[in-house]
Amino acid sequence: KDNHKTRRTSRHMDRTNTMSENEEDQGVHVHGSEPRKLWNFIKPPVQRQKWGDEQVLPHVNWGDLFFDLFYVGVAYNTGSIIKYASAKTSCLVYFFGTFGPIYTNFWAYKHHYDSRFSTGFGFIRVVWELVQMIFLGLAALHVQKDVYMNEKYDHMFLFCLFNFLGIVMWIIRYFEIGYVWVRHADAAQKSSKYFILMMLPNLIIMGAASYISYSEHSEYINNKSTDYDKSNLFVPNSILMDTHLANSSTGYDADNTSAKPYKYGNIAEISTPILLCCLTWIINPIWERIVEMCIVQSDHKAVTVPMNIEYVMHRYGEFTMLMLGESILSLIIVDHPNDSEEEKKNYHMIFIMGITAVFLLQVIDFDSQPHNPNHHALRYRIRGSIFEALKKIYYAALVLTGALYKIMMMEYGGTDYDKYYKGDEETRHRDIAWLFCASITTACVTLDLTNLSHSATFDDALGLRDSATGQIKGLMVLLLLAQIGLYFFMMTVTTYDTKPTDLSIFGAVLVLLTITIQKIRKFYYPIEHDDSHAHGHDVQHDIA
């Protein structure tokens, strides 16, 4: 029944060589169309819904979950940039420069397309999605530790190249809608052109990064000295370091090229391509906002296709669980301590606090999301853009938090070699503490702001003023000040305490107090949603 309803509600796009449902059942060829077998071989895209239609949640597509599994590897590899960092500055640049593009160019573009159009399972569609997944996998494969991502190796070039090709494939899919299959469906045609326009900055940036990284690598290969020793490339589970790094004053043994665990000191060069990749975090939302402003100046329903809000809500929920799962994975896969009882105690304390923090982050996230699509931020133009930007930051913070909990466990677990190779403990603990406090605080702040984005006005979001009397709510003011105080404490705690066990406890307590404040706020002043405009999807991209 659900499948029939979904199929019925998605049959709205007028297409070249199309069939009505009855004609398809009878095998009738319409308007000189190609044979039915060829039609099923191609399976052109169809629009899921029109403005004003009752939205129906599409049937579960297990292919979406399979696609998301690639991001477990993405999260692991980007987390390894932090785990095996050469310096806290460069590792953050390379982390955000790899996580941001691969998230936007594949996952974000996919859910924007799939929430508006459906393609079925024709042979051409299956092959097309396979190629896209291969590009995603290859891009994830070349997310390497920061000292790998320079002109000596081709990882930076291949990462940028496959991101570029991924964008090209999405542009082709929208081109297909705008110029190949659609006839007399102006909204779908014009909407596809707007999406192509939105992708152009990313296409240009990734193309430029690919060209620059390829040029730098080619120049290095052509000019490198004949005595370059490739044996200095480290074995798996190690940080890559050449002879000149091994001989530096950081305490590494030049004669020992075995696995080198987490160590700050050797600064990997921050290259131009990775800076261009980081630039997408800023350029994307600004450019999308400019394009949206152009849409608003016209009748937006005549030039856009509404997204299926409930479908997107499910996709974000599934992706959130994967990112949370990767944080749990980071905590579980750590070698056990084999020395003193004190180290075992600290090791297990950090593990328990890490599990607690990740679990509570999950509770905050899903408890703060509206269950009714009519109340979701995605129904609105500005709030929807803010929600999507915050989610991207939140996912990055989740990966960072999981990686840093793992690093803190490694301080007390691991092999004898790991323990021998600690270097300057005070500096390392200070850097770990700074990164950890920043990541877990960012995760909590983005969750708070995401929750607020679902409210219609700033007053509704904070709930500081009584809507009937206009008086200030004293309790809500105190709760807001307490929340700000918690964040301030967490960001400054590194000035007087950098011990990993203490930090793990502080992190778990921060998340616990955050959810406590949220529960108190909801208990005394629950948010009342205005359903006066909540009919179908008519207000998406209409109300700011």
Side-chain angles (χ1 to χ4, degrees), residues 57 148 180 188 206 208 221 227 231 386 456 458 464 474 525:
L57 178 65
Y148 277 95
V180 180
M206 299 312 299
I221 293 298
D227 61 345
S231 65
I386 293 174
F458 189 74
L464 300 180
Y525 303 103

Side-chain angles (χ1 to χ4, degrees), residues 123-172:
F123 178 77
I124 295 296
R125 302 299 162 186
V126 172
V127 172
W128 190 269
E129 291 198 4
L130 172 62
V131 174
Q132 285 186 305
M133 289 186 187
I134 290 174
F135 286 165
L136 169 59
L138 287 170
L141 180 67
H142 291 283
V143 175
Q144 297 292 322
K145 304 164 187 68
D146 54 1
V147 286
Y148 277 95
M149 306 286 278
N150 57 39
E151 73 279 0
K152 297 179 183 178
Y153 315 101
D154 59 2
H155 297 299
M156 190 73 244
F157 162 64
L158 293 174
F159 170 79
C160 296
L161 174 65
F162 290 117
N163 272 273
F164 175 82
L165 293 176
I167 301 171
V168 170
M169 294 197 73
W170 283 117
I171 289 177
I172 293 174

Side-chain angles (χ1 to χ4, degrees), residues 7 118 127 213 232 257 317 349 365 377 394 422 483 492:
R7 183 157 49 96
S118 175
V127 172
S213 56
N232 283 328
T257 57
M349 174 63 70
D365 192 349
Y394 171 62
K422 284 183 177 292
Q483 189 72 69
T492 58

Side-chain angles (χ1 to χ4, degrees), residues 336-351 408-413 419 422 425 499-502 504-505:
H336 291 274
N338 52 10
D339 287 341
S340 66
E341 291 298 321
E342 182 67 21
E343 286 194 345
K344 292 181 181 179
K345 176 183 175 181
N346 292 334
Y347 173 90
H348 287 95
M349 174 63 70
I350 296 173
F351 176 81
M408 290 191 293
M409 290 180 67
M410 289 171 62
E411 289 295 299
Y412 304 103
K419 292 181 177 299
K422 284 183 177 292
E425 183 175 287
K499 187 178 179 182
T501 49
D502 293 345
S504 67
I505 296 173

Side-chain angles (χ1 to χ4, degrees), residues 187-222:
Q189 286 181 311
K190 294 178 180 178
S191 176
S192 65
K193 296 171 185 177
Y194 277 120
F195 275 107
I196 292 174
L197 186 62
M198 284 184 177
M199 295 180 188
L200 286 183
N202 261 14
L203 183 72
I204 295 171
I205 289 174
M206 299 312 299
S210 300
Y211 175 78
I212 294 173
S213 56
Y214 176 77
S215 300
E216 291 178 347
H217 179 60
S218 298
E219 183 179 358
Y220 174 80
I221 293 298
N222 293 332

Side-chain angles (χ1 to χ4, degrees), residues 279-295:
L279 191 62
T280 60
W281 284 81
I282 301 173
I283 296 296
N284 274 341
I286 295 176
W287 179 250
E288 288 178 5
R289 181 59 178 157
I290 293 173
V291 174
E292 286 180 353
M293 290 174 63
C294 296
I295 296 175

Side-chain angles (χ1 to χ4, degrees), residues 314-341:
H314 278 261
R315 293 293 291 125
Y316 272 113
E318 291 161 358
F319 196 81
T320 298
M321 292 306 296
L322 280 176
M323 293 298 100
L324 291 166
E326 197 282 330
S327 296
I328 297 296
L329 184 68
S330 295
L331 289 166
I332 291 176
I333 305 179
V334 181
D335 291 336
H336 291 274
N338 52 10
D339 287 341
S340 66
E341 291 298 321

Side-chain angles (χ1 to χ4, degrees), residues 378-394:
L378 289 168
R379 292 182 68 249
Y380 303 90
R381 177 167 43 88
I382 297 178
R383 282 191 273 152
S385 299
I386 293 174
F387 174 85
E388 293 189 318
L390 289 172
K391 274 296 185 180
K392 182 177 178 180
I393 298 172
Y394 171 62

